[in-house]
Amino acid sequence: MTLIVSSGFLHAGVMDKAAMEKAFPSPYVVGDKDETLPVWPLYQQISTDTPLVGYAFESIDLAAIPGFAGIPFNLLVAIDPNGSFLSVRVLSHHEPVFLEGLGEKPLIDFAQQYTGISLMQNIKIDAKPTLGSANNSANAYIDGVTKATASVRIFNQSLLSSSLKVAREKLGYAKGRDPDLIARIKPDMFEPMSWQELVDEGLIVKYRFSNQEVETLFAGTIGEGQDPEGAEAPDETFVELYAANLTVPTVGRNLLLPQAWEYIKNNIGSNDQLLLVLGKGRYSFVGEDFVRGKVPERLSLNQADLPIEMRDFDLDDRLSLFDLEYKLKLPDDLEGFEWKLFHVIGQAGLDPAYPAEFKLNVTRQKGWLYPESATEGLAFKVPIPEHYVAAAETDNKTWHSLWAGRKVDIVILITGLLVLTIVLVKYRILTGPAQRLRWFRPLYLLFTLVFIGWYAQGQLSIVNITGVLQALEAGRSLAFFLYDPMTVLLWAYIGITFFVWGRGTFCGWLCPFGALQELIGKLLAFIKLPQLKVSTQLDARLKWIKYIVLATILIIAIVSVPLTGSVVEIEPFKTSITLMFDRSWPFVLWAVVLLLLSLFVYKGYCRYICPLGAGLAIFGKLRIYNWLPRRSECGQPCQLCKNRCEYQSIEQSGKIDYDECFQCLDCVVIYDSDEQCVPLIVEKRQGRKLKTRKSGDDLIASS
């Protein structure tokens, strides 16, 4: 399979019939493109017959979901009439991690795993089959790609969203409802109830059909009068039915043993539903020819007049794998009822806010040698009381499962951000005794590098900004960010702290590459490499470079998507943090050169080159107040903090340049130390009070 990297942003599909015929050669025969839906029917030449064997389409025509760089994948997909993937190929993409770094082979291999998987299965990425579920046809397990979690999730969403649109239109899926935009059963709403209480609550519904009611259905058809037994006892029961949605916790947990309930929760998709049907009477709702695990012949499911596929959820067989003693907890008078669980996958679009509409099909025949048949349906509905259902939302996308799967990571990150917030608000916790800052800062930078950067892949990047710019320019949603919870949380935190502390919160504490530079410097401090002190004038000029780099990247991002992918490589973040130096040598060399530069020119990349830092400095001007303390003597005449500041962000006047301040708090340590701060030393000697000011402000308070 050949991977074609886009030479530009694809607003629509690129395949014509000739290209499709090349992609699907003999024995496939490519039909004409559908006039109502951008799909190509695929036929197969078998002797003199050419049966329909599938549909081919481009994902970008049906679900142009922006990737991590703000540009959609374009996938060439073929599905068969049963909803199984015949082929999944990547026509184009612009995912930074696959363009360079990991290369395209992992993406190709990832796409190939979908072949043979059905849309009726729950596709689980990076999930491990639980005991006994490896052969469970309800689930399909796909290996993800390390360091590309967000990209493969967006790939999966693009594939499923486009494929389900074709399936709903062409394969009879519930095309009336988008499975991402339906209501959800509340997962935590539970109350202990008896069987009768469940019936009274409306969670279990009962239907009874008499022989006469069934006879009435066949009136005027060839089936009329073909039930002598029913005619003799018209008021007797033809079939008695109970039905419920077992996915509702109040139903499932009250009717199932705890082991069975846990097994069900772990072996169906988060939006799947299990429907319970019990029956007794002259007519079985499953029939003698019923095959376990298959679609029932006699019972059909609809919603809004559209068919929805359901399959027998063969719970007894599944649970036998675990040697569980299992039975449905029924009242004594229902012990003789036969019962089945039917599985409806989330992709089918069964909306729990509306009743599930069943039909029990009854067939009668007339004649003996060449009998004629007539079929009528006994209709019954299974509603869910509204307070057990969460209303439909427009953002019920598959990113929810990704966030749920990273709960531990999210808690750790939020805890780390909370600690940093406390430290920056109550900074004198660290700066009072100077040694506290000496041990706390390296430890926090280690947390930033190892957890936020290398483990959680939370390195913010100029790619985030160019992705937003390109998505907005193309009129596309920014929802692609939601596939990376670390990025969302970090940007949200930075967005808030812009108003409080400015740029330095990220650049000084939360940037993994910045942390790597500083930690390497501290580890090699014993070598005592000569540090180059850039003159004040040259430093001021060099700091403009990053703004020029930022402006250049943003302009290129608007005019040329492919070139954007090249110019953003001025950032070493992907090489050193995302891919941990597992990359081709030119990129590794560039990252190493920048790290070596930082040994001689303190954080030279951050101060002079980083386009993300330039963007953050611009937004950092939203800062409401100058929070680092200054005295009237700071810069007038004392220059100690200015000379000690390795970022050279303190001006001759003593004012702190917050656009360049990385909030290392070293100047505050000096400020609070009566052994370092010259004005405090003088104060001790002369016994006079000093005045305090905020950076850049007039005298405002006494210390």
Side-chain angles (χ1 to χ4, degrees):
M1 176 169 55
T2 302
L3 183 69
I4 307 169
V5 180
S6 174
S7 60
F9 176 58
L10 294 175
H11 289 277
V14 297
M15 303 289 284
D16 56 18
K17 187 170 184 178
M20 279 291 184
E21 289 175 337
K22 184 176 181 180
F24 298 98
S26 179
Y28 290 115
V29 177
V30 179
D32 293 331
K33 191 174 185 178
D34 193 282
E35 294 181 358
T36 59
L37 193 70
V39 300
W40 307 79
L42 297 177
Y43 305 94
Q44 189 170 1
Q45 187 69 50
I46 301 177
S47 185
T48 59
D49 193 17
T50 53
L52 177 73
V53 295
Y55 293 95
F57 52 91
E58 295 175 71
S59 65
I60 201 166
D61 284 331
L62 298 160
I65 299 171
F68 196 63
I71 303 164
F73 281 96
N74 191 22
L75 311 176
L76 179 60
V77 185
I79 58 176
D80 69 18
N82 295 317
S84 295
F85 291 107
L86 296 171
S87 173
V88 178
R89 314 178 203 182
V90 183
L91 289 177
S92 65
H93 77 95
H94 214 276
E95 296 304 285
V97 71
F98 292 122
L99 289 176
E100 287 291 347
L102 294 177
E104 294 165 346
K105 187 177 185 302
L107 181 60
I108 296 172
D109 294 342
F110 178 77
Q112 288 177 332
Q113 295 180 84
Y114 285 88
T115 302
I117 291 176
S118 171
L119 285 169
M120 299 302 293
Q121 293 176 291
N122 301 299
I123 298 175
K124 300 185 177 183
I125 300 173
D126 273 338
K128 302 301 180 185
T130 55
L131 179 62
S133 65
N135 298 318
N136 183 351
S137 61
N139 299 318
Y141 298 90
I142 290 180
D143 292 329
V145 181
T146 303
K147 304 182 181 70
T149 302
S151 292
V152 298
R153 293 282 177 173
I154 296 170
F155 178 107
N156 184 68
Q157 178 68 6
S158 301
L159 176 62
L160 293 183
S161 293
S162 58
S163 300
L164 286 166
K165 286 182 180 179
V166 175
R168 288 194 292 271
E169 292 293 332
K170 297 295 184 181
L171 307 183
Y173 283 48
K175 62 184 180 181
R177 304 195 187 280
D178 184 337
D180 288 328
L181 302 177
I182 63 174
R184 298 288 187 259
I185 294 172
K186 294 179 180 178
D188 301 319
M189 189 168 180
F190 170 73
E191 181 181 350
M193 290 188 184
S194 66
W195 177 274
Q196 188 56 50
E197 288 172 331
L198 291 171
V199 173
D200 295 340
E201 180 72 6
L203 289 167
I204 297 177
V205 293
K206 176 184 178 181
Y207 290 88
R208 176 187 174 277
F209 298 97
S210 67
N211 292 326
Q212 183 58 53
E213 287 176 293
V214 177
E215 183 64 30
T216 302
L217 288 177
F218 285 96
T221 72
I222 59 173
E224 184 177 6
Q226 300 303 309
D227 181 18
E229 182 181 348
E232 292 180 1
D235 296 327
E236 293 296 318
T237 299
F238 180 77
V239 64
E240 182 179 346
L241 299 169
Y242 288 89
N245 192 315
L246 204 73
T247 323
V248 178
T250 298
V251 178
R253 291 176 60 183
N254 281 307
L255 296 186
L256 296 173
L257 294 176
Q259 303 98 310
W261 174 252
E262 287 300 318
Y263 180 84
I264 284 174
K265 285 202 307 180
N266 294 330
N267 285 274
I268 67 171
S270 59
N271 296 325
D272 292 10
Q273 297 180 54
L274 287 179
L275 303 173
L276 169 68
V277 179
L278 302 91
K280 187 177 183 180
R282 295 179 50 218
Y283 192 74
S284 168
F285 67 88
V286 291
E288 296 177 358
D289 298 329
F290 178 73
V291 178
R292 294 165 68 175
K294 299 297 183 181
V295 178
E297 292 289 337
R298 291 186 176 182
L299 202 60
S300 61
L301 176 63
N302 294 268
Q303 194 171 69
D305 297 324
L306 295 168
I308 295 176
E309 182 173 284
M310 62 178 181
R311 290 179 178 270
D312 172 49
F313 191 77
D314 194 359
L315 191 59
D316 285 316
D317 183 59
R318 294 165 191 258
L319 288 173
S320 66
L321 297 170
F322 301 88
D323 297 323
L324 294 179
E325 294 183 3
Y326 169 75
K327 67 175 182 177
L328 200 65
K329 293 186 286 185
L330 299 175
D332 293 340
D333 58 336
L334 296 182
E335 285 295 337
F337 279 62
E338 64 176 342
W339 62 270
K340 289 291 179 184
L341 287 181
F342 297 104
H343 183 202
V344 180
I345 64 170
Q347 295 93 318
L350 179 63
D351 193 334
Y354 300 89
E357 303 168 7
F358 285 93
K359 273 193 177 180
L360 176 58
N361 297 309
V362 181
T363 300
R364 290 183 176 180
Q365 293 183 332
K366 183 177 182 179
W368 177 71
L369 188 58
Y370 297 104
E372 296 180 89
S373 298
T375 299
E376 298 293 337
L378 297 171
F380 61 98
K381 297 181 179 181
V382 182
I384 301 176
E386 61 180 15
H387 53 282
Y388 291 92
V389 177
E393 299 177 3
T394 58
D395 64 346
N396 277 335
K397 299 294 179 181
T398 58
W399 58 263
H400 285 179
S401 61
L402 182 58
W403 283 63
R406 299 194 69 178
K407 285 181 181 177
V408 175
D409 295 350
I410 290 170
V411 169
I412 293 174
L413 177 61
I414 291 175
T415 302
L417 296 178
L418 180 61
V419 169
L420 179 60
T421 302
I422 294 171
V423 164
L424 294 180
V425 171
K426 302 289 186 181
Y427 53 85
R428 283 194 167 88
I429 295 173
L430 298 180
T431 60
Q435 62 270 22
R436 286 184 186 172
L437 183 63
R438 291 196 192 104
W439 66 257
F440 177 82
R441 183 165 173 81
L443 285 178
Y444 198 91
L445 293 178
L446 194 63
F447 166 77
T448 295
L449 173 63
V450 176
F451 176 76
I452 295 179
W454 285 338
Y455 174 77
Q457 297 287 287
Q459 172 72 68
L460 302 187
S461 166
I462 191 64
V463 172
N464 303 142
I465 297 176
T466 58
V468 168
L469 188 63
Q470 289 169 340
L472 292 176
E473 190 271 337
R476 300 196 182 279
S477 167
L478 300 181
F480 60 91
F481 267 122
L482 296 173
Y483 289 85
D484 188 356
M486 299 296 110
T487 297
V488 172
L489 292 174
L490 284 169
W491 273 117
Y493 182 78
I494 298 306
I496 294 171
T497 57
F498 276 145
F499 295 97
V500 184
W501 300 300
R503 164 213 183 168
T505 308
F506 173 76
C507 294
W509 293 91
L510 295 172
C511 176
F513 184 74
L516 178 61
Q517 291 179 90
E518 190 166 334
L519 289 170
I520 289 176
K522 290 181 182 298
L523 287 173
L524 299 180
F526 68 93
I527 300 177
K528 296 184 179 179
L529 295 170
Q531 288 285 307
L532 301 178
K533 189 75 170 182
V534 181
S535 69
T536 301
Q537 294 77 11
L538 180 58
D539 175 72
R541 293 189 181 97
L542 291 176
K543 284 174 177 174
W544 279 99
I545 294 176
K546 61 180 176 287
Y547 296 102
I548 297 172
V549 173
L550 173 64
T552 302
I553 290 175
L554 295 182
I555 291 171
I556 291 174
I558 294 173
V559 300
S560 174
V561 169
L563 189 55
T564 303
S566 299
V567 296
V568 296
E569 291 296 346
I570 196 170
E571 281 188 337
F573 303 163
K574 189 197 312 180
T575 301
S576 59
I577 304 301
T578 305
L579 302 172
M580 290 186 282
F581 297 97
D582 183 13
R583 205 175 183 191
S584 55
W585 71 266
F587 299 99
V588 174
L589 178 62
W590 173 242
V592 171
V593 165
L594 293 177
L595 289 172
L596 291 175
L597 171 66
S598 71
L599 296 178
F600 298 96
V601 180
Y602 190 74
K603 287 196 173 179
Y605 172 79
C606 301
R607 293 161 60 192
Y608 302 132
I609 304 173
C610 181
L612 179 63
L616 295 178
I618 293 172
F619 283 106
K621 295 183 182 296
L622 298 171
R623 188 188 71 260
I624 295 174
Y625 66 100
N626 301 328
W627 62 286
L628 293 172
R630 300 277 85 197
R631 291 190 174 93
S632 59
E633 288 85 356
C634 294
Q636 306 167 14
C638 183
Q639 298 289 315
L640 181 60
C641 289
K642 175 186 181 301
N643 293 328
R644 292 274 189 91
C645 181
E646 295 183 283
Y647 297 98
Q648 295 180 247
S649 61
I650 300 179
E651 300 176 1
Q652 190 79 20
S653 65
K655 176 184 178 181
I656 295 175
D657 182 359
Y658 283 89
D659 293 343
E660 302 299 333
C661 175
F662 282 59
Q663 298 174 8
C664 65
L665 301 180
D666 286 344
C667 64
V668 183
V669 171
I670 296 172
Y671 179 92
D672 285 336
S673 172
D674 58 7
E675 296 178 356
Q676 299 184 66
C677 178
V678 175
L680 282 184
I681 294 172
V682 173
E683 178 190 45
K684 284 176 63 177
R685 290 176 179 175
Q686 299 182 358
R688 65 184 179 87
K689 271 291 186 183
L690 298 177
K691 297 293 185 179
T692 299
R693 63 175 179 169
K694 295 296 183 180
S695 170
D697 294 343
D698 295 330
L699 221 55
I700 59 174
S702 294
S703 63

